[in-house]
Amino acid sequence: MMWKKVISMLLIAAMLAMPIGCGKDGNKDKDTTSGVETTDTGDDSAETDAPPKTPVPKEDKESDKDTDTENETDFSDDDYEPAQVTKKEYESMSAQDLIDRIKDVKNITEDEALALYSTYAYTNYTEDFYGREENITDEAFKILKDDGCKIPYTTTIRDNMLHSENANVRAYAFTTIGGLFGTSSEEEKMAEEVLAKETEPVVLFAALRSLGGAVSNPAVAEFVLNMTEHENANVRKQAALAIGSEWAMGIDGMVDAILKLMGDEDEEVRTCAYKYAGRLHDDRVIDPLEEVLKDSSLVRFHDACITSLTYMWYDYPSHRYTNERAYRITIDYLSQKPRNGDIPYWTTVGAFRSASSMGTSYEDWKKEATYFDEAEINNLMLDIVADQDADRRGREIAMKYIMERGDDASKESLKNIMENMTEDDPGQFLMSNTYEALINKE
């Protein structure tokens, strides 16, 4: 049903952590003032406000080189002054000092908004690019928000930031486009023009976060695929996340790209590729996932691989797709013996613990997923609970599965297992406490 797909897409969008906000075609100068909802405290996923005229660096007296073609983030105190504040001055200021530069905080102008947003030039991003280190600019926006102030945000402001001389400002601007409801064609066209000459990793990363749901646009798809080859691991990781979504299903090059990223030299990139490849629902990703699960030396990737396979056969929470082979590999992995503290990796036991409560989708899915055997799964979970060699945390997850989703016979079997558990069992003390808590909760 269409509503299920819409909800699924919204959930994937949340996963991508894209900022909320929709641009409209032909709305270049529309004022979307929204009461400082763009105020950012370091998380770029909740911004809808920003800034007009891009602050221009002072004239470079020593060189006439094109500032658009080289690394543009290292401005000295003397050659860049957003809001007429040098980096040295900024470092000695407080958040209130920044606010005091605004004439009337209840009537902030576009120029004043731009001036304040442009001081993001002097902030530092975290190592993974997902946030910023503590800074007075974020603090200033929080103060304004708490005071109920409104910060204007127009597409003119946004476009000026996207063409800023400073990479941090451009990165911030990218976080203000797109959102849970997608990007407009105007935003995508603008992004294509800006990204044609962009080289800064932090900006490319921000663009991937915001445009990840727009890969049906050939230009965006090409950008995402190109970023899988980028030298910066953060950029490649975000490209893997953009590819590993249902938006990328059926788009040329996406499966080949995620398969290549599974062999990336960076382990975080590989993990991301393993974990989200299943969202493409393409059988070509199954073999490499299975091979990793067969290799005990790669146990650190096992949770990601099981998650990916589970997307394919269980498809929580929308329950729209089925895949018998992915199901069989998952069950075989959890069933293998002898178990030990590493295999199966304890978190994999809970890969399909939840069922959707969205209407009747789960029941509809079960009719299609003829391979899904609840009795088989209940028996598997009971076997894991009883296995002293399995990781205690995984055994507790299996116990919770039975208590939450098992039938009466399975719950009675669980009761017998727990009553006969001896002190020789290394998990006896903690598991008994967990079981008692679950019984009391019912």
Side-chain angles (χ1 to χ4, degrees):
M1 294 173 67
M2 181 58 68
W3 67 271
K4 295 177 185 174
K5 185 167 186 177
V6 170
I7 292 175
S8 176
M9 290 303 186
L10 293 180
L11 290 169
I12 295 169
M15 172 198 75
L16 290 171
M18 293 187 294
I20 297 175
C22 298
K24 304 279 187 189
D25 290 342
N27 249 8
K28 182 175 182 182
D29 290 308
K30 180 177 179 181
D31 189 345
T32 56
T33 301
S34 58
V36 211
E37 290 180 0
T38 64
T39 299
D40 184 353
T41 57
D43 180 357
D44 291 336
S45 65
E47 301 158 350
T48 54
D49 255 357
K53 307 174 189 173
T54 303
V56 180
K58 287 185 178 180
E59 184 177 341
D60 189 342
K61 295 182 173 52
E62 297 182 9
S63 172
D64 293 324
K65 71 179 182 179
D66 183 353
T67 57
D68 288 331
T69 58
E70 298 295 333
N71 185 328
E72 302 153 340
T73 60
D74 187 21
F75 286 91
S76 72
D77 294 342
D78 296 327
D79 63 7
Y80 191 62
E81 293 186 1
Q84 294 75 53
V85 177
T86 66
K87 182 176 182 180
K88 185 176 181 179
E89 290 170 338
Y90 179 86
E91 290 173 344
S92 63
M93 294 175 72
S94 67
Q96 191 59 50
D97 289 334
L98 289 179
I99 294 172
D100 288 344
R101 300 178 71 87
I102 299 173
K103 184 177 180 180
D104 180 359
V105 294
K106 298 301 182 182
N107 294 284
I108 301 173
T109 67
E110 288 190 348
D111 285 338
E112 288 171 331
L114 174 63
L116 183 55
Y117 274 88
S118 294
T119 59
Y120 275 124
Y122 298 145
T123 63
N124 297 314
Y125 275 83
T126 55
E127 186 176 353
D128 61 7
F129 295 163
Y130 272 106
R132 289 179 294 277
E133 295 175 3
E134 185 176 346
N135 63 84
I136 60 172
T137 301
D138 283 327
E139 185 181 348
F141 279 119
K142 184 178 187 304
I143 292 172
L144 290 171
K145 178 179 180 180
D146 291 346
D147 287 345
C149 301
K150 295 182 178 181
I151 299 180
Y153 179 59
T154 65
T155 53
T156 299
I157 291 175
R158 178 205 64 197
D159 292 351
N160 273 292
M161 285 198 297
L162 285 169
H163 290 89
S164 168
E165 297 293 337
N166 184 274
N168 285 355
V169 176
R170 297 197 303 277
Y172 179 85
F174 264 110
T175 69
T176 68
I177 71 171
L180 288 177
F181 299 99
T183 50
S184 69
S185 58
E186 181 269 336
E187 285 178 317
E188 292 167 16
K189 184 175 185 300
M190 170 274 304
E192 181 182 355
E193 294 171 354
V194 172
L195 293 172
K197 59 181 180 180
E198 185 60 67
T199 61
E200 288 294 321
V202 70
V203 184
L204 298 170
F205 178 90
L208 284 165
R209 289 185 74 188
S210 291
L211 296 170
V215 289
S216 59
N217 180 323
V220 175
E222 181 180 6
F223 165 66
V224 171
L225 290 172
N226 287 340
M227 290 304 98
T228 65
E229 304 284 350
H230 197 276
E231 63 182 1
N232 185 280
N234 289 333
V235 174
R236 297 197 306 277
K237 180 180 175 181
Q238 194 62 31
L241 187 57
I243 292 171
S245 77
E246 291 181 19
W247 281 306
M249 287 176 59
I251 296 177
D252 288 345
M254 294 298 173
V255 174
D256 289 338
I258 206 77
L259 290 173
K260 184 173 181 180
L261 289 171
M262 287 181 183
D264 196 275
E265 63 183 7
D266 184 272
E267 290 206 351
E268 289 190 10
V269 176
R270 290 173 68 186
T271 299
C272 196
Y274 289 137
K275 186 172 184 177
Y276 295 107
R279 286 195 179 274
L280 292 172
H281 295 281
D282 190 298
D283 285 353
R284 286 175 287 176
V285 307
I286 294 179
D287 281 346
L289 294 174
E290 183 180 25
E291 288 304 309
V292 173
L293 292 172
K294 289 179 178 178
D295 191 337
S296 60
S297 70
L298 299 178
V299 67
R300 61 194 181 279
F301 298 121
H302 285 190
D303 178 75
C305 292
I306 289 295
T307 297
S308 204
L309 290 168
T310 304
Y311 283 140
M312 300 185 75
W313 70 262
Y314 195 59
D315 191 32
Y316 176 82
S318 58
H319 299 302
R320 287 178 292 118
Y321 296 98
T322 62
N323 192 300
E324 184 170 1
R325 185 175 173 222
Y327 169 80
R328 195 71 263 156
I329 294 171
T330 301
I331 299 303
D332 288 347
Y333 173 77
L334 295 173
S335 301
Q336 62 183 309
K337 291 184 178 182
R339 297 188 180 96
N340 57 53
D342 292 328
I343 298 174
Y345 191 72
W346 69 275
T347 56
T348 62
V349 180
F352 46 92
R353 179 177 157 195
S354 299
S356 176
S357 59
M358 295 190 300
T360 59
S361 60
Y362 178 62
E363 295 302 321
D364 290 342
W365 171 82
K366 285 200 296 184
K367 295 174 184 176
E368 297 295 325
T370 55
Y371 53 81
F372 184 65
D373 187 338
E374 290 182 294
E376 177 183 34
I377 292 177
N378 286 337
N379 289 333
L380 171 59
M381 293 298 163
L382 290 168
D383 188 55
I384 292 174
V385 172
D387 193 337
Q388 296 186 25
D389 293 329
D391 187 290
R392 187 264 308 166
R393 294 167 295 181
R395 295 170 71 188
E396 289 188 333
I397 292 175
M399 180 195 306
K400 292 174 183 177
Y401 182 97
I402 295 297
M403 292 299 295
E404 293 168 0
R405 300 185 58 187
D407 55 20
D408 290 342
S410 297
K411 290 180 181 179
E412 187 62 29
S413 295
L414 175 61
K415 179 181 177 181
N416 292 333
I417 292 172
M418 297 308 300
E419 288 179 347
N420 292 299
M421 189 174 287
T422 65
E423 293 183 357
D424 293 337
D425 189 320
Q428 188 267 342
F429 177 75
L430 291 175
M431 290 179 66
S432 294
N433 289 335
T434 298
Y435 180 66
E436 182 178 352
L438 291 171
I439 291 294
N440 293 334
K441 185 178 178 181
E442 282 199 322

